[in-house]
Amino acid sequence: KDLPRRYRFLKHFPLYKIVPPGLIKAGAKIAQPLFEPDRNREKATCKKMLDDKNKLFLKRSIHCIVTWDPPACPANVIQIHGTNDHTLPVRYVKAIHRIEGGSHMMVLTRGKEISALLVRLLDE
């Protein structure tokens, strides 16, 4: 239920299966700067991470994301989500803890803030 419509669409119409892995990787290089507002904070790291990703891994990742059928979420799970996540928009997520302005890459770009929140939550 946390997936946006574009991913749910791909579950029922798996067009990604006919797209060559190299084209998926090229598309990711174009799309990531558009969908990741925090990307410029760690531009070199983000670029290297994407350059180093295996193109077949990217294609398989899409399949895993769109076909994943998770079990019921245990009550004691703590979900932290950024309010500026364009990959998995917060409007689809029922996270109790929201990082204002945090993006999909906030673990990289806002690590200290997330770490402090985790320490506080574990102390409770």
Side-chain angles (χ1 to χ4, degrees):
K1 295 176 185 173
D2 292 358
L3 292 178
R5 286 183 197 100
R6 64 183 173 269
Y7 293 121
R8 287 182 276 163
F9 173 84
L10 289 174
K11 181 176 187 171
H12 302 291
F13 301 99
L15 301 174
Y16 63 90
K17 288 184 176 184
I18 62 172
V19 177
L23 190 56
I24 290 175
K25 184 169 181 173
K29 286 183 175 188
I30 294 167
Q32 188 188 49
L34 300 173
F35 288 108
E36 282 304 326
D38 268 358
R39 185 182 187 277
N40 288 331
R41 291 174 97 170
E42 295 285 343
K43 193 172 189 172
T45 302
C46 293
K47 183 180 180 330
K48 177 128 178 67
M49 285 170 47
L50 195 52
D51 286 344
D52 290 349
K53 279 187 186 166
N54 179 288
K55 58 189 175 185
L56 192 55
F57 170 81
L58 282 173
K59 186 168 185 166
R60 288 180 180 158
S61 297
I62 294 169
H63 177 77
C64 289
I65 291 166
V66 301
T67 61
W68 185 47
D69 186 20
C73 188
N76 63 346
V77 167
I78 298 170
Q79 188 169 3
I80 302 169
H81 205 84
T83 62
N84 201 23
D85 187 330
H86 293 237
T87 304
L88 298 171
V90 73
R91 70 180 172 268
Y92 296 106
V93 179
K94 293 167 186 66
I96 295 171
H97 302 282
R98 296 180 179 199
I99 303 293
E100 193 61 41
S103 76
H104 197 67
M105 300 184 76
M106 70 181 182
V107 173
L108 175 66
T109 61
R110 311 264 299 265
K112 289 180 183 177
E113 184 179 348
I114 294 167
S115 182
L117 173 60
L118 289 170
V119 168
R120 192 182 89 234
L121 292 170
L122 291 171
D123 283 344
E124 291 177 354

